[in-house]
Protein backbone atom coordinates (compact mmCIF):
# COMPACT_ATOMS: atom_id res chain seq x y z
CA UNK A 1 0.00 0.00 0.00
CA UNK A 2 1.46 3.40 -0.90
CA UNK A 3 1.99 5.88 1.90
CA UNK A 4 0.97 9.49 1.35
CA UNK A 5 2.90 11.56 3.87
CA UNK A 6 3.24 15.21 4.82
CA UNK A 7 6.76 16.22 5.87
CA UNK A 8 7.68 19.67 7.19
CA UNK A 9 6.32 22.97 5.93
CA UNK A 10 7.73 25.39 3.35
CA UNK A 11 11.26 26.45 4.28
CA UNK A 12 10.30 30.08 4.85
CA UNK A 13 8.15 29.06 7.84
CA UNK A 14 11.34 28.03 9.66
CA UNK A 15 13.46 31.05 8.73
CA UNK A 16 13.87 34.23 10.77
CA UNK A 17 10.99 36.62 10.27
CA UNK A 18 13.00 39.42 8.67
CA UNK A 19 13.27 41.28 5.36
CA UNK A 20 15.27 38.40 3.81
CA UNK A 21 12.39 35.96 4.22
CA UNK A 22 10.38 35.79 0.99
CA UNK A 23 7.43 34.30 2.87
CA UNK A 24 7.42 36.98 5.56
CA UNK A 25 3.83 38.23 5.12
CA UNK A 26 2.55 34.67 5.50
CA UNK A 27 5.37 33.38 7.67
CA UNK A 28 4.59 35.67 10.58
CA UNK A 29 1.26 33.90 11.02
CA UNK A 30 2.55 30.44 10.06
CA UNK A 31 6.02 30.46 11.59
CA UNK A 32 7.18 27.07 12.92
CA UNK A 33 8.76 27.18 16.36
CA UNK A 34 11.36 24.40 16.49
CA UNK A 35 12.15 24.81 20.17
CA UNK A 36 10.69 21.40 21.02
CA UNK A 37 10.64 19.69 17.63
CA UNK A 38 12.84 18.86 14.66
CA UNK A 39 13.81 21.62 12.28
CA UNK A 40 13.37 21.56 8.51
CA UNK A 41 16.63 19.81 7.59
CA UNK A 42 16.31 17.29 10.40
CA UNK A 43 12.84 16.38 9.16
CA UNK A 44 14.16 15.90 5.62
CA UNK A 45 17.01 13.67 6.80
CA UNK A 46 14.61 11.60 8.91
CA UNK A 47 12.27 11.19 5.93
CA UNK A 48 15.10 10.24 3.56
CA UNK A 49 16.23 7.60 6.05
CA UNK A 50 12.71 6.12 6.05
CA UNK A 51 12.56 6.04 2.25
CA UNK A 52 16.02 4.47 1.99
CA UNK A 53 15.32 1.87 4.70
CA UNK A 54 11.99 0.84 3.16
CA UNK A 55 12.64 0.32 -0.57
CA UNK A 56 9.55 -1.88 -0.94
CA UNK A 57 7.26 0.90 0.25
CA UNK A 58 6.06 3.56 -2.16
CA UNK A 59 6.12 6.99 -0.54
CA UNK A 60 4.06 9.86 -1.96
CA UNK A 61 5.42 13.04 -0.40
CA UNK A 62 2.69 15.66 -0.26
CA UNK A 63 3.36 19.24 -1.28
CA UNK A 64 6.47 18.49 -3.38
CA UNK A 65 8.00 17.31 -0.07
CA UNK A 66 7.96 21.02 0.77
CA UNK A 67 11.06 21.43 -1.39
CA UNK A 68 9.69 23.67 -4.13
CA UNK A 69 12.39 26.16 -3.13
CA UNK A 70 15.12 23.62 -4.03
CA UNK A 71 14.33 21.65 -7.20
CA UNK A 72 17.87 20.19 -7.51
CA UNK A 73 17.65 18.69 -4.02
CA UNK A 74 14.20 17.21 -4.66
CA UNK A 75 15.31 15.91 -8.06
CA UNK A 76 18.33 14.22 -6.49
CA UNK A 77 16.04 12.41 -4.06
CA UNK A 78 13.75 11.26 -6.87
CA UNK A 79 16.79 10.09 -8.85
CA UNK A 80 18.14 8.18 -5.86
CA UNK A 81 14.90 6.57 -4.64
CA UNK A 82 12.59 4.93 -7.19
CA UNK A 83 10.04 4.38 -4.39
CA UNK A 84 9.55 8.14 -3.93
CA UNK A 85 6.83 10.18 -5.65
CA UNK A 86 5.54 13.68 -4.93
CA UNK A 87 2.21 15.38 -5.26
CA UNK A 88 1.62 19.07 -5.95
CA UNK A 89 -1.12 19.60 -3.38
CA UNK A 90 -1.35 23.04 -1.80
CA UNK A 91 1.99 24.22 -3.19
CA UNK A 92 0.94 25.74 -6.50
CA UNK A 93 1.52 29.24 -5.16
CA UNK A 94 4.96 28.37 -3.79
CA UNK A 95 6.04 26.85 -7.10
CA UNK A 96 4.35 29.33 -9.47
CA UNK A 97 6.69 32.18 -8.65
CA UNK A 98 9.52 30.17 -10.29
CA UNK A 99 7.65 29.02 -13.40
CA UNK A 100 10.59 28.08 -15.63
CA UNK A 101 12.39 26.01 -13.00
CA UNK A 102 9.15 24.37 -11.90
CA UNK A 103 8.18 23.59 -15.50
CA UNK A 104 11.57 21.95 -16.12
CA UNK A 105 11.22 19.91 -12.94
CA UNK A 106 7.67 18.76 -13.78
CA UNK A 107 8.63 17.75 -17.30
CA UNK A 108 11.76 15.90 -16.16
CA UNK A 109 9.92 14.02 -13.38
CA UNK A 110 6.54 13.75 -15.08
CA UNK A 111 6.29 10.04 -14.24
CA UNK A 112 6.79 10.68 -10.50
CA UNK A 113 4.41 13.60 -9.90
CA UNK A 114 0.76 13.32 -8.89
CA UNK A 115 -2.02 15.86 -8.83
CA UNK A 116 -3.33 16.48 -5.38
CA UNK A 117 -5.04 19.18 -3.43
CA UNK A 118 -6.15 19.71 0.11
CA UNK A 119 -7.57 23.14 -0.63
CA UNK A 120 -11.26 22.32 -0.45
CA UNK A 121 -13.89 21.97 -3.13
CA UNK A 122 -14.51 25.53 -4.32
CA UNK A 123 -14.28 25.76 -8.13
CA UNK A 124 -12.24 28.98 -7.89
CA UNK A 125 -9.45 27.06 -6.17
CA UNK A 126 -9.23 24.62 -9.07
CA UNK A 127 -9.42 27.38 -11.66
CA UNK A 128 -6.26 28.85 -10.14
CA UNK A 129 -4.45 25.49 -10.11
CA UNK A 130 -5.43 24.74 -13.70
CA UNK A 131 -4.42 28.24 -14.79
CA UNK A 132 -0.95 27.74 -13.29
CA UNK A 133 -0.46 24.25 -14.72
CA UNK A 134 -2.01 24.75 -18.16
CA UNK A 135 -1.37 28.34 -19.27
CA UNK A 136 1.52 30.62 -20.02
CA UNK A 137 -0.14 33.51 -18.13
CA UNK A 138 2.23 35.72 -16.17
CA UNK A 139 2.05 37.74 -12.98
CA UNK A 140 -1.46 37.05 -11.76
CA UNK A 141 -2.98 36.57 -8.33
CA UNK A 142 -5.40 33.96 -7.04
CA UNK A 143 -7.10 35.57 -4.01
CA UNK A 144 -8.16 32.20 -2.60
CA UNK A 145 -4.49 31.29 -2.04
CA UNK A 146 -3.86 34.21 0.35
CA UNK A 147 -0.29 34.74 -0.85
CA UNK A 148 1.40 38.04 -1.52
CA UNK A 149 3.50 36.99 -4.50
CA UNK A 150 2.41 36.88 -8.11
CA UNK A 151 1.95 33.57 -9.92
CA UNK A 152 2.92 32.57 -13.44
CA UNK A 153 1.82 29.59 -15.50
CA UNK A 154 3.91 26.55 -16.42
CA UNK A 155 2.24 25.87 -19.79
CA UNK A 156 2.82 22.14 -19.37
CA UNK A 157 2.45 19.92 -22.44
CA UNK A 158 -0.77 17.90 -22.64
CA UNK A 159 1.08 14.57 -22.28
CA UNK A 160 2.66 15.77 -19.01
CA UNK A 161 -0.65 17.08 -17.68
CA UNK A 162 -2.33 13.75 -18.46
CA UNK A 163 0.27 11.90 -16.40
CA UNK A 164 0.06 14.32 -13.47
CA UNK A 165 -3.74 14.52 -13.48
CA UNK A 166 -4.49 10.85 -14.07
CA UNK A 167 -2.06 8.31 -15.47
CA UNK A 168 0.52 8.24 -12.66
CA UNK A 169 -2.12 7.70 -9.98
CA UNK A 170 -3.81 5.01 -12.06
CA UNK A 171 -0.49 3.21 -12.56
CA UNK A 172 0.18 3.24 -8.80
CA UNK A 173 -3.33 2.06 -7.95
CA UNK A 174 -3.10 -0.76 -10.49
CA UNK A 175 0.23 -1.90 -9.01
CA UNK A 176 -1.30 -2.19 -5.55
CA UNK A 177 -4.58 -3.91 -6.39
Amino acid sequence: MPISIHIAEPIWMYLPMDDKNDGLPNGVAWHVDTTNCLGYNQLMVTFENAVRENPGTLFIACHYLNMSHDWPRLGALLDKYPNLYVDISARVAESAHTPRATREFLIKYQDRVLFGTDNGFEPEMYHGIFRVLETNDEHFYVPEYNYHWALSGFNLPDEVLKKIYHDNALRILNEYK
Side-chain angles (χ1 to χ4, degrees), residues 64 68 71 91-99 102 132 149 152 154:
Y64 292 115
S68 61
W71 296 124
R91 294 299 178 260
V92 170
E94 284 85 349
S95 59
H97 69 282
T98 57
T102 303
V132 169
W149 51 72
S152 293
F154 307 150

Side-chain angles (χ1 to χ4, degrees), residues 13-79:
M13 291 186 190
Y14 298 85
L15 300 174
M17 294 294 118
D18 59 24
D19 62 349
K20 294 175 183 64
N21 186 335
D22 193 37
L24 180 62
N26 298 82
V28 169
W30 298 340
H31 187 255
V32 176
D33 179 2
T34 59
T35 305
N36 296 310
C37 64
L38 298 178
Y40 181 86
N41 284 316
Q42 293 167 307
L43 288 167
M44 292 305 157
V45 168
T46 301
F47 177 68
E48 183 177 357
N49 291 341
V51 174
R52 182 185 62 250
E53 293 168 13
N54 296 281
T57 300
L58 192 139
F59 291 86
I60 302 168
C62 300
H63 315 311
Y64 292 115
L65 188 56
N66 282 304
M67 281 193 185
S68 61
H69 68 285
D70 192 350
W71 296 124
R73 182 177 181 185
L74 181 54
L77 289 172
L78 288 168
D79 291 341

